[in-house]
Each structure stands twice: as C-alpha cells, then as structure tokens.
Amino acid sequence: MASLLNLRPTPPVLCSKPPHKLTHSHLHTYICFPFKISNTHNQFLNLCRSSSTPPPSQQKASQRKRTRYRKQYPGENIGITEEMRFVSMRLRNASGKKLHLSGDNTENEEEHEEEDDDDDEVKRETWRPSQEGFLKYLVDSKLVFDTIERIVDESENVSYAYFRRTGLERCESLEKDLQWFRGQDLVIPEPSNTGVSYAKYLKELAGESAPLFLSHFYSIYFSHIAGGQVIVNKVSEKLLEGKMMEFNRWEGDAQDLLKGVREKLNVLGEHWTRDEKNKCLKETAKAFKYMGQIIRLMIL
C-alpha cells in the first residue's frame, strides 16, 4: 500500500502533553501522521476509481446478461380481443382475402372490407345458397347461440357474469325467424352434426377454462356482426325477396354493443397468463373454423 501511494517515512513528530481539555483549535497540534504523501490528491482519487471499476471484459459480460424482453404479439398492447382480431385477419388472408391495417380505424375498415369480400363470395357462380341450406344454417346458428347464452346465464363462474344481457343475444331473434319459416309450411330440420359437435365442445370448454370459452363467445358474436350478417342479407335478397331477418336486428347499434363486450373482455384478459392468452388465440382459430363450416351449410 505504501508503494502504491508513494509514501515515505518521516521522523515522528514530538507532541507536547495535551491539556486536560482538548479544544477544536488544538486539534492540528496533536494529530500526527507517521507518513507524508508526496503524490497529488488526484492520484489517490484515480486509485480509488480504478479499484472500484471492473475491467472491460467484465463490463461486456454484464452487458450480455441484461434482460431481453420478448417481442409482443400483434395487438397485445391494446388487449386480448385485438390479438384475436389479428388471428381472424390472418385466417382471411390465408384464404386469399385482403385487409388493410392502419391507425385506430382498422376495425371499421375491416368491416367494410369484409362486406366487399362477402359480396363477392355470394355473387360467385359456385356460391348458390338454397332455402333448405339456409334453414340448416339458421338452425345450427340458433343451437350455437343458445348454448353460449345459456352457459353465461346459468354458470356460477364469476367471469361469465360480466357477459350477461349484453344486448347481443341472438337466440330469441333466431327463434322468431324459424317461426316465420314454419308459417310458410316449411319443415325445420334438426341441427347438423357440425352444430351439435360445436355445441358439445363449447359446453366442455366452459367447464374447463373461462378464458378459452370466452374466446369462442366473443368470436361468435364478432364473426356474425363483422361478416355473417352481410351474408344473411344477401341470401335473403336472393331467396326471400329481401325479407329483413330478425337475426340481423339489434336493440341499439351492434358495433357499440360489441364494443362494450370487447372492453370487458380486455379488462378480464389483463389477469390471464401469457400461456392462457396463447391458448385463447388457438381457440379463436377453432371458433372461426366451426362458424365457417356452419355458413357452408347454406350451399351443401
């Protein structure tokens, strides 16, 4: 230590006997140092700095150990429903349909784009819905909506209580449409295997996981409001002389009602783990697959 500080011994200082009481003014007389520092004060500070600063190799190692944050999922900063919307958009793009993404109005743009796409699909020569197929579609749709609405109303799970009486309920409206067809002396078919399978799957899922069931709950309403009702209107124009179906009537604006459900689900989703959210995105894809199969009943 003496060599580092460049200290050299000096003769001891003879101190006189201190007084009985030592005052502050006498301190400089009686405090003696056996060494004299010849280097400057800056050298001592440099030594302190060098002893506390790690070598460059250790600095690089500490930098490599810094936490790396994962890349966010598309829409994750907004909420789980936005993540689900991106999943549905990818499914549409995979089937050759294009959507534009921009700013805060992407959802409205998506709605208009879907209307155009659905118009094209209904107008295709190979897309020829029949009255029998349309009835199958309405019957299966009623089964699905009746299932999710009954589960939400009767379940003791607290998560489902937030989604009761949202104004989006479709079961009663579909029953009115089917009653109208009965009045036309038409035979109402039984639900198809597709509808029965989906309803069974929803019941099982509701008992296993609220997040996974609610991803279907939201996707079912979203798919009908965003695109399904457009198809229903087109089929009605073609087969029923433009009759306005109760399936497409809401007490209030459908988009505003859906927005209320979306906000509640986003708040609830803040308490879900990333693993639960990832599973919800997979269930969203399943929901659109099932609903697509039910829509295709119109042309089978």
Side-chain angles (χ1 to χ4, degrees):
M1 183 69 179
S3 62
L4 291 173
L5 295 177
N6 197 13
L7 305 176
R8 60 176 181 273
T10 58
V13 178
L14 297 177
C15 303
S16 60
K17 184 178 180 181
H20 180 69
K21 292 184 179 181
L22 187 63
T23 64
H24 180 73
S25 60
H26 294 112
L27 288 177
H28 72 280
T29 306
Y30 301 101
I31 297 176
C32 306
F33 295 91
F35 296 95
K36 181 171 69 177
I37 301 175
S38 61
N39 287 1
T40 63
H41 181 63
N42 290 337
Q43 289 176 311
F44 181 73
L45 293 178
N46 291 335
L47 177 63
C48 294
R49 293 192 190 100
S50 63
S51 62
S52 61
T53 304
S57 60
Q58 294 183 8
Q59 292 183 26
K60 293 181 179 179
S62 63
Q63 291 176 358
R64 287 195 298 267
K65 293 179 182 179
R66 289 179 181 174
T67 303
R68 293 183 178 179
Y69 296 97
R70 65 174 179 80
K71 185 178 179 181
Q72 284 193 330
Y73 285 71
E76 184 178 358
N77 61 324
I78 297 178
I80 184 61
T81 60
E82 187 70 3
E83 294 186 53
M84 293 162 62
R85 189 174 71 86
F86 272 94
V87 170
S88 66
M89 290 165 60
R90 283 198 297 269
L91 292 174
R92 288 177 56 82
N93 291 336
S95 63
K97 299 178 181 179
K98 298 180 181 179
L99 293 175
H100 298 289
L101 305 178
S102 61
D104 297 331
N105 297 322
T106 53
E107 183 162 339
N108 292 332
E109 291 175 4
E110 179 189 358
E111 179 186 355
H112 296 312
E113 190 79 15
E114 285 177 343
E115 292 179 5
D116 294 336
D117 288 341
D118 291 326
D119 288 350
D120 292 340
E121 187 159 348
V122 172
K123 291 176 182 177
R124 292 175 186 171
E125 292 183 359
T126 57
W127 212 97
R128 296 175 181 172
S130 65
Q131 192 171 74
E132 181 183 357
F134 190 46
L135 277 172
K136 289 181 180 179
Y137 163 75
L138 294 176
V139 168
D140 275 31
S141 295
K142 181 179 180 300
L143 176 61
V144 170
F145 280 100
D146 180 63
T147 300
I148 62 173
E149 290 165 13
R150 189 183 300 274
I151 289 172
V152 167
D153 287 340
E154 298 178 357
S155 176
E156 296 180 357
N157 192 313
V158 178
S159 298
Y160 300 154
Y162 296 102
F163 303 96
R164 294 171 183 164
R165 294 178 291 278
T166 63
L168 292 175
E169 290 79 13
R170 296 290 86 200
C171 185
E172 291 183 5
S173 299
L174 281 162
E175 178 59 31
K176 291 179 182 179
D177 287 331
L178 293 175
Q179 286 290 359
W180 182 86
F181 280 103
R182 290 188 183 98
Q184 307 300 311
D185 295 328
L186 294 173
V187 178
I188 307 301
E190 293 295 321
S192 71
N193 291 335
T194 300
V196 172
S197 297
Y198 192 26
K200 180 181 178 182
Y201 181 72
L202 290 170
K203 291 176 184 178
E204 295 173 351
L205 203 60
E208 296 173 1
S209 171
L212 302 190
F213 169 77
L214 289 174
S215 68
H216 283 264
F217 177 87
Y218 178 79
S219 297
I220 290 169
Y221 286 114
F222 174 80
S223 64
H224 178 62
I225 293 173
Q229 64 171 330
V230 178
I231 296 177
V232 170
N233 284 336
K234 291 297 180 183
V235 174
S236 178
E237 290 177 5
K238 185 178 182 62
L239 301 178
L240 306 175
E241 299 180 352
K243 170 182 167 53
M244 182 63 184
M245 306 295 293
E246 293 296 324
F247 194 13
N248 289 349
R249 292 183 187 271
W250 287 269
E251 294 183 4
D253 184 82
Q255 287 292 344
D256 289 341
L257 296 173
L258 184 65
K259 180 181 178 182
V261 172
R262 180 167 60 248
E263 291 174 350
K264 291 178 183 179
L265 190 56
N266 283 337
V267 172
L268 198 61
E270 293 177 0
H271 304 282
W272 299 343
T273 65
R274 185 63 253 177
D275 182 62
E276 287 176 320
K277 292 180 180 179
N278 290 344
K279 290 179 180 178
C280 284
L281 300 183
K282 292 181 179 179
E283 292 301 322
T284 299
K286 288 183 181 180
F288 278 87
K289 179 181 177 180
Y290 272 114
M291 295 306 292
Q293 291 175 348
I294 292 175
I295 287 177
R296 284 194 289 272
L297 290 173
M298 295 187 199
I299 57 177
L300 294 179

